[in-house]
Amino acid sequence: MSRFFAKSDSESEESSSADEITPKATGTAFNKQSLLLSDDEEDTKRVVRSAKDKRFEELTNFIKTIRNAMKIRDISKCLEEFEQLCRAFIKSKAIVDKEGVPQFYIRLLADLEDYLNQLWEDKEGKKKMNKNNAKALSTLRQKIRKYNRDFETEIVSYKENPEQSAEEEEEKDDIGSGSSESDDDDDDDVTAKSFMKKKPPQEEEKKAPEASKFLKGAAGEESDSDDNESEEWASDTVDSDSESEDIEGTAASLATVFLKKAQDGDKPADSKREERKKRHKNKERAEEEGDGEEGGWETVKGGAPLVKEKPKMFAKGTEINTAVVVKKLSEILQARGKKGTDRAAQIELLHALAGISNENNLGEGILVKIKFNIIASLYDYNPNLAAFMKVDMWKKCLDCIDELLDILFNNNNIFIGENIIEDSENLAISDQPFRVRGCILTLVERMDEEFTKIMQNTDPHSQEYVDNLKDEGRVCGIIDRLLQYLETKGSTEEVCRVYLRRIMHTYYKFDYKAHRRSLGLQGETKSEQDQEESEGEDSAIIMDRLCKFIYSKDRTDRIRTCAILCHIYHHALHSRWYQARDLMLMSHLQDNIQHADPPVQILYNRTMVQLGICAFRQGMIKDAHNALLDIQSSGRAKELLGQGLLMRNMQERNAEQEKIEKRRQVPFHMHINLELLECVYLVSAMLLEIPYMAAHEFDARRRMISKQFHHQLRVGERQPLLGPPESMREHVVAASKAMKMGDWKTCHSFIINEKMNSKVWDLFPETQCVREMLVRKIQEESLRTYLFTYSSVYDSISMATLSEMFELEIPTVHSIISKMIINEELMASLDQPTQTVVMHRTEPTSLQNMALQLAEKLGGLMENNERVFDLKQGVYGGYFNRDQKGGYQQKQGYQRAGDQRGGYQQKQGGYQRDQKGGYQQKQNYQRGGYRNQNQSSY
């Protein structure tokens, strides 16, 4: 039969071809049987899989997609695939219950949660996300946290030992692959047996060995290959047939192939296990060796190595002189700043080099140079500017600076300076003086900055803060010693710089010894040391001497500005109000302070606050209110004073700006009590605002003196249940309500009591004087409020009665009422013989006040309508004719024409402007850029 007709569509041709093939040998008959069933066999190999493999493959596909999305930060894709993964896991619940939760699933859940948490904490990255990804991030983070609660124990065990769990998973995969291969072998054996069973009975009688049968099958493969090629040439589905024929060809020698696969399948699994064991052993060995090395290094750091390092530093027999030591010093310094350099070891080497130079008496010049480099290396120990020095390094730094100053004081022939070139240095002992390149002032300034950083980064409520603060005495001692040195050998600019450092450590401290001396209490000191300290120079004299030198000698605006502000702060802290106020007004700092750098602006804000508190202690209520107005009205006094950061959006301040602002914060021991500051401001506003509100109760044009005080009043009025006051603000609001009614005793009890004393008033140095001043002010302002509120009720009132009501002397009552009458605040007259106040009936009633307000509003509405009409028509509509009758109202106010009450209100308007504008023109220390400064970064 021709090969071109080998394959036909009819069943008869297939049966005839099969009949022709049957008389052939057994091997060829077996291969033909397999050829006839090749399509079915191929289909079973492709499709038939266990349910476990199907489900786990589906899960792994989703996991791969999720991991790819994680790599490209596509969170919305992660969310979509995670939801599908959860649904697929629910479908495979029966298999999971039987086999257990697969380790790769647990690994994905743990990794995904860590990945989302990392993205969530990356605030800078979150800002750059698009809207969909940001929304998907929050949604997916909530879902994964909720979903992982069901797998909490598995995730914890995985996180504890991720490598072990990964290895267990690999072993399971190896076992699973081996079992699946063996299952495939069994299936193939079954099919082979089934093929063998289909042989004719003649061939069954021929019982040959099993291996020979397989060999015959392999030999018959060549004879059938031609038929396969003919069928492939005639078929339409070339690819599928060729694939099936390849599979049939490989399946011909079943035993050899399967045995080979089984062996190959076992070998990789064993080799993988052995490799893992080797890896674990190597890791354990490396860790043990690392631990041993670290332990050895710790013993080296302990101190014994210095003796051992000497031979390594210089070879035996080397003559140690200045040139050799300088060369070794330059070698050590060359490694400074390089990656991998051990900074602690470098410091030890420099100490060892200093010891060698001392032993060999190489002179003070080389020793000073080494000390300079030791201090610089201590500063470089923390490469990050934001990090602060550890305690041991800080102590070493102070000791080194003290030693360096000792050397400089004991040897007058040592000249140091930044302008000395290294080539022109003279370090050897000779007739010429030593010349060393370096600046001791820069080192001390850096030391002062490090001390500030240490205080900023220490918990202020811990004992550690107190211990660190004790070092300030040593820091000030070093600055004083440097000050003495530079006064003789330094330039004017350097002296101004070190003077400013001394001022910055003095200006915020209250001098209790000078205060006790002024009160005549210095005899109470017990020990001789206290007696000597009390007889020392006052801080006021020190500040005056240092600041005046800077005023006269300094050429840089910044140092002079800082010195003026510190001087004003110190005056205000010690209740020298007039000196502080005059210095502030003469300096004109308020005009250009907005152009200064942020630390100077913070110092300016602190000075203004201290000035306002000083004015309050002196009873200057208006001055205190005006000085504190800008800081308190901004609502961010904490930030403006450098005492903390407010919570803001990341759009307003990124992470880098936040770090910079944290470095500008004032240490805790220099803070101004914010509650005291707010209380002083609110009490000042109360003493000004309550009488003004009573005088302008029906005035539509009344303006607020303090918005913050009005806000607190509104908050108190909105309370559904009014109980006894608890916080400081509630005490002030309750006192304001009592003062509004003229009840000064209740107001006094709310302002001065045990709770308010402990929170606020006891914090002042002269507590009793402040309380007496407050009582006096409350009595006077309550009297004014009472007269404003109830003047319409009285025809006349005796001053003796008012004196008894408010517990004031009659001359004081007389002066208060006289001022009110002179300023046209009270429409009354004094009857001297009878000592009474006679009221004038000029005030309109409440109904008349409302009618006047309505008339004014209607007049304004009519004027606006006429202006709009005239703009359209082009003619001014008789406005100037009406100006003779009604235009007076537009310019000067309806109540001006001969009305005494109107004149009083007009005057009051000027009084209000005088508080906000006129006062500032006379004493404008609180304006001129300070408000602009609030609107800037600080």
Side-chain angles (χ1 to χ4, degrees):
M1 186 175 179
S2 175
R3 64 182 293 179
F4 293 102
F5 302 97
K7 190 169 184 179
S8 175
D9 293 336
S10 62
E11 295 178 0
S12 60
E13 289 179 358
E14 288 180 1
S15 59
S16 62
S17 63
D19 293 337
E20 291 174 3
I21 292 168
T22 47
K24 289 185 180 180
T26 55
T28 56
F30 171 73
N31 279 323
K32 196 60 187 176
Q33 290 285 346
S34 64
L35 282 172
L36 288 171
L37 300 172
S38 62
D39 292 338
D40 298 333
E41 189 179 356
E42 183 184 348
D43 291 341
T44 56
K45 283 185 182 178
R46 285 184 181 176
V47 177
V48 175
R49 284 179 303 170
S50 64
K52 174 185 171 184
D53 293 342
K54 280 185 180 180
R55 294 301 181 192
F56 281 14
E57 185 179 357
E58 187 181 4
L59 293 176
T60 51
N61 289 336
F62 285 127
I63 288 171
K64 284 179 184 176
T65 312
I66 290 173
R67 289 196 181 275
N68 290 335
M70 287 163 62
K71 288 177 184 175
I72 61 174
R73 297 171 71 96
D74 189 354
I75 312 300
S76 55
K77 182 70 174 175
C78 285
L79 176 60
E80 180 184 347
E81 294 296 326
F82 178 73
E83 290 173 349
Q84 294 184 12
L85 178 66
C86 293
R87 287 195 287 269
F89 187 77
I90 291 169
K91 287 181 184 176
S92 57
K93 192 168 186 347
I95 296 166
V96 170
D97 293 341
K98 182 181 176 184
E99 301 287 338
V101 182
Q103 197 66 25
F104 62 82
Y105 192 74
I106 297 298
R107 188 192 304 165
L108 175 82
L109 295 180
D111 292 349
L112 185 59
E113 186 175 12
D114 293 341
Y115 174 74
L116 294 174
N117 288 336
Q118 185 180 358
L119 285 182
W120 189 263
E121 290 171 1
D122 184 10
K123 296 180 180 178
E124 194 69 28
K126 275 170 64 180
K127 283 199 320 185
K128 296 177 182 177
M129 279 187 184
N130 58 29
K131 189 176 181 182
N132 293 335
N133 272 349
K135 188 176 179 182
L137 176 62
S138 60
T139 307
L140 182 55
R141 182 168 172 269
Q142 291 175 358
K143 284 192 175 185
I144 194 72
R145 289 172 69 184
K146 185 177 179 183
Y147 189 76
N148 283 3
R149 289 173 194 162
D150 299 334
F151 307 98
E152 194 168 354
T153 54
E154 291 90 344
I155 292 173
V156 170
S157 63
Y158 165 72
K159 286 184 177 179
E160 286 175 357
N161 200 348
E163 293 181 359
Q164 184 178 354
S165 59
E167 289 167 3
E168 288 174 1
E169 184 185 349
E170 289 177 4
E171 289 176 6
K172 285 181 183 178
D173 293 342
D174 294 338
I175 294 166
S177 62
S179 62
S180 62
E181 287 171 1
S182 63
D183 292 341
D184 293 340
D185 296 345
D186 295 338
D187 295 339
D188 291 334
D189 290 338
V190 171
T191 54
K193 288 175 185 176
S194 63
F195 291 153
M196 295 297 292
K197 285 177 185 177
K198 291 179 183 178
K199 290 180 182 180
Q202 299 164 355
E203 293 180 351
E204 288 179 4
E205 293 173 0
K206 298 176 182 179
K207 293 183 179 179
E210 199 171 345
S212 64
K213 293 176 185 177
F214 291 140
L215 288 172
K216 286 177 182 178
E221 183 180 354
E222 295 177 2
S223 62
D224 290 333
S225 63
D226 295 335
D227 296 336
N228 292 338
E229 287 174 5
S230 64
E231 288 173 4
E232 181 179 354
W233 185 85
S235 65
D236 294 327
T237 59
V238 179
D239 296 333
S240 61
D241 290 340
S242 63
E243 289 174 5
S244 62
E245 284 161 10
D246 293 338
I247 293 168
E248 288 165 4
T250 54
S253 55
L254 291 174
T256 55
V257 172
F258 290 150
L259 285 173
K260 227 174 190 180
K261 279 187 180 177
Q263 291 169 1
D264 294 341
D266 292 338
K267 282 179 183 177
D270 295 336
S271 62
K272 283 180 182 177
R273 287 174 201 148
E274 289 174 3
E275 285 176 6
R276 278 189 222 106
K277 288 178 183 176
K278 285 180 183 178
R279 269 188 247 135
H280 275 295
K281 286 179 183 177
N282 292 335
K283 280 183 183 178
E284 289 173 1
R285 285 176 192 166
E287 288 175 0
E288 288 174 2
E289 289 174 4
D291 294 339
E293 287 175 2
E294 286 177 5
W297 182 243
E298 284 177 4
T299 56
V300 169
K301 283 186 179 177
L306 290 181
V307 181
K308 297 177 184 177
E309 286 292 337
K310 284 181 182 177
K312 294 180 182 178
M313 196 173 289
F314 298 107
K316 287 184 179 179
T318 305
E319 182 184 356
I320 297 174
N321 52 30
T322 305
V324 174
V325 172
V326 169
K327 184 179 178 182
K328 191 65 183 179
L329 177 63
S330 62
E331 288 177 8
I332 296 171
L333 293 179
Q334 280 176 2
R336 179 181 170 188
K338 289 185 179 179
K339 188 176 181 182
T341 303
D342 189 347
R343 298 183 183 89
Q346 198 176 28
I347 294 169
E348 301 249 344
L349 288 173
L350 290 171
H351 276 292
L353 196 61
I356 291 171
S357 66
N358 269 335
E359 288 175 5
N360 293 275
N361 298 321
L362 298 180
E364 304 297 336
I366 186 67
L367 188 60
V368 167
K369 187 172 181 63
I370 294 172
K371 289 289 182 185
F372 269 119
N373 288 292
I374 289 174
I375 298 168
S377 299
L378 287 170
Y379 290 146
D380 289 345
Y381 189 77
N382 287 327
N384 188 4
L385 280 175
F388 61 98
M389 294 179 74
K390 303 300 179 189
V391 178
D392 53 344
M393 291 294 170
W394 169 247
K395 300 291 184 187
K396 284 182 184 177
C397 180
L398 292 179
D399 293 339
C400 285
I401 293 175
D402 271 329
E403 292 171 6
L404 182 59
L405 285 171
D406 289 338
I407 296 170
L408 294 176
F409 273 111
N410 295 332
N411 299 275
N412 292 324
N413 61 339
I414 299 177
F415 293 95
I416 58 173
E418 289 178 319
N419 53 353
I420 298 175
I421 306 170
E422 288 190 2
D423 297 337
S424 64
E425 285 183 325
N426 182 23
L427 304 175
I429 300 174
S430 63
D431 297 336
Q432 299 294 326
F434 294 110
R435 291 169 59 84
V436 183
R437 177 178 172 81
C439 181
I440 183 66
L441 176 58
T442 306
L443 297 180
V444 173
E445 285 179 337
R446 177 70 187 273
M447 175 206 68
D448 195 20
E449 291 169 4
E450 289 293 337
F451 176 72
T452 304
K453 281 199 286 186
I454 289 172
M455 302 310 296
Q456 286 172 343
N457 290 277
T458 308
D459 180 14
H461 306 291
S462 64
Q463 183 61 32
E464 184 185 0
Y465 191 91
V466 179
D467 296 338
N468 290 336
L469 190 58
K470 291 176 183 177
D471 290 334
E472 190 182 15
R474 196 171 174 188
V475 171
C476 291
I478 290 172
I479 293 173
D480 285 335
R481 294 184 68 192
L482 179 63
L483 189 147
Q484 294 173 12
Y485 178 78
L486 291 179
E487 281 177 348
T488 57
K489 291 194 174 183
S491 63
T492 306
E493 182 184 353
E494 290 177 334
V495 172
C496 289
R497 283 165 62 187
V498 74
Y499 274 12
L500 181 63
R501 290 286 167 183
R502 188 68 184 88
I503 288 168
M504 296 298 284
H505 281 279
T506 308
Y507 81 97
Y508 63 90
K509 295 174 183 173
F510 186 80
D511 193 349
Y512 283 97
K513 291 168 187 170
H515 178 63
R516 291 169 63 83
R517 221 178 287 131
S518 65
L519 298 176
L521 301 175
Q522 71 267 23
E524 295 180 7
T525 55
K526 298 178 181 178
S527 65
E528 294 180 0
Q529 183 180 0
D530 292 340
Q531 190 72 28
E532 290 174 2
E533 289 179 357
S534 64
E535 291 173 358
E537 197 174 14
D538 288 351
S539 61
I541 299 172
I542 296 172
M543 288 288 294
D544 194 59
R545 176 170 56 83
L546 298 179
C547 291
K548 284 182 177 177
F549 180 87
I550 292 176
Y551 299 158
S552 60
K553 303 290 185 181
D554 180 59
R555 297 177 184 177
T556 61
D557 289 337
R558 190 182 187 279
I559 293 179
R560 187 168 60 253
T561 301
C562 291
I564 291 172
L565 290 172
C566 292
H567 205 181
I568 295 168
Y569 190 105
H570 195 262
H571 280 315
L573 187 64
H574 293 82
S575 300
R576 295 189 287 271
W577 157 250
Y578 292 104
Q579 292 94 315
R581 185 198 64 182
D582 294 343
L583 190 55
M584 175 62 82
L585 292 174
M586 286 189 295
S587 65
H588 296 285
L589 288 175
Q590 62 274 13
D591 297 333
N592 54 7
I593 193 63
Q594 69 271 15
H595 303 301
D597 54 342
V600 178
Q601 291 186 17
I602 290 173
L603 181 58
Y604 177 84
N605 296 340
R606 286 166 54 80
T607 304
M608 289 303 304
V609 164
Q610 199 60 247
L611 202 57
I613 295 173
C614 175
F616 181 81
R617 289 200 302 268
Q618 300 299 314
M620 313 278 186
I621 302 301
K622 288 182 186 177
D623 297 335
H625 179 269
N626 288 327
L628 301 176
L629 177 64
D630 287 324
I631 291 286
Q632 286 299 119
S633 61
S634 66
R636 47 196 192 102
K638 185 178 182 182
E639 189 172 359
L640 292 174
L641 295 175
Q643 297 181 187
L645 298 179
L646 299 176
M647 295 297 292
R648 288 193 189 177
N649 297 329
M650 292 305 296
Q651 297 174 354
E652 297 181 18
R653 179 176 59 208
N654 57 29
E656 191 62 31
Q657 289 174 340
E658 191 168 346
K659 286 180 185 177
I660 294 170
E661 290 187 12
K662 280 182 179 177
R663 289 203 291 269
R664 293 174 185 152
Q665 299 304 300
V666 176
F668 183 77
H669 64 279
M670 298 171 64
H671 281 194
I672 297 171
N673 192 317
L674 293 177
E675 190 172 16
L676 180 143
L677 173 61
E678 187 178 10
C679 181
V680 166
Y681 174 75
L682 290 177
V683 170
S684 302
M686 177 190 76
L687 294 174
L688 294 175
E689 190 80 62
I690 296 300
Y692 180 74
M693 289 170 63
H696 296 77
E697 187 175 0
F698 302 107
D699 188 0
R701 298 182 178 180
R702 183 182 68 194
R703 295 181 181 178
M704 290 184 289
I705 297 174
S706 170
K707 289 184 179 179
Q708 189 180 4
F709 177 72
H710 276 272
H711 173 69
Q712 296 300 331
L713 287 181
R714 284 194 295 271
V715 169
E717 290 170 0
R718 284 200 297 266
Q719 293 293 333
L721 180 64
L722 286 177
E726 295 180 0
S727 67
M728 176 271 300
R729 295 175 181 175
E730 291 176 357
H731 276 87
V732 176
V733 170
S736 302
K737 291 179 180 178
M739 182 184 280
K740 212 170 183 180
M741 305 300 294
D743 187 357
W744 77 271
K745 290 185 178 178
T746 307
C747 177
H748 168 257
S749 65
F750 281 131
I751 292 295
I752 299 174
N753 51 53
E754 290 183 3
K755 189 179 286 187
M756 290 291 286
N757 286 343
S758 61
K759 282 187 175 182
V760 180
W761 309 126
D762 287 344
L763 302 177
F764 287 117
E766 300 173 351
T767 305
Q768 193 59 35
C769 296
V770 173
R771 291 199 195 100
E772 291 172 0
M773 179 273 300
L774 270 176
V775 173
R776 186 81 172 179
K777 288 291 178 183
I778 288 171
Q779 289 172 333
E780 293 176 359
E781 297 303 326
S782 298
L783 172 60
R784 282 165 47 84
T785 307
Y786 185 83
L787 290 174
F788 284 137
T789 306
Y790 299 109
S791 60
S792 59
V793 176
Y794 289 98
D795 286 330
S796 62
I797 184 169
S798 171
M799 283 193 286
T801 306
L802 292 175
S803 175
E804 290 176 6
M805 285 176 63
F806 294 97
E807 296 183 9
L808 290 169
E809 299 84 358
I810 291 180
T812 306
V813 175
H814 185 275
S815 67
I816 292 171
I817 296 173
S818 300
K819 285 179 184 177
M820 294 172 68
I821 293 172
I822 291 169
N823 294 329
E824 298 183 8
E825 296 174 348
L826 183 67
M827 295 300 106
S829 58
L830 285 172
D831 188 2
Q832 292 293 341
T834 59
Q835 291 288 308
T836 58
V837 183
V838 180
M839 302 295 175
H840 298 171
R841 294 290 180 183
T842 57
E843 289 82 2
T845 62
S846 58
L847 180 62
Q848 290 171 341
N849 272 313
M850 292 175 67
L852 290 172
Q853 291 176 22
L854 178 62
E856 184 179 359
K857 290 180 180 179
L858 289 173
L861 179 63
M862 182 182 68
E863 183 182 348
N864 289 334
N865 287 338
E866 286 184 356
R867 285 180 179 173
V868 171
F869 180 75
D870 293 338
L871 286 174
K872 289 183 178 179
Q873 298 295 324
V875 183
Y876 214 60
Y879 177 77
F880 295 104
N881 295 332
R882 274 191 299 277
D883 191 41
Q884 296 173 358
K885 297 180 180 179
Y888 196 88
Q889 297 172 357
Q890 286 106 29
K891 292 185 178 179
Q892 299 175 358
Y894 61 87
Q895 73 274 28
R896 184 64 180 265
D899 191 347
Q900 290 180 351
R901 172 65 176 172
Y904 152 68
Q905 291 181 346
Q906 191 70 18
K907 189 70 177 178
Q908 276 300 98
Y911 168 75
Q912 167 63 18
R913 285 192 299 276
D914 193 45
Q915 279 188 337
K916 290 210 166 184
Y919 184 79
Q920 293 162 3
Q921 291 166 6
K922 292 177 185 176
Q923 297 178 352
N924 57 352
Y925 59 82
Q926 73 276 20
R927 291 188 62 86
Y930 188 75
R931 193 177 296 275
N932 294 333
Q933 174 259 346
N934 261 342
Q935 295 169 359
S936 64
S937 63
Y938 269 87

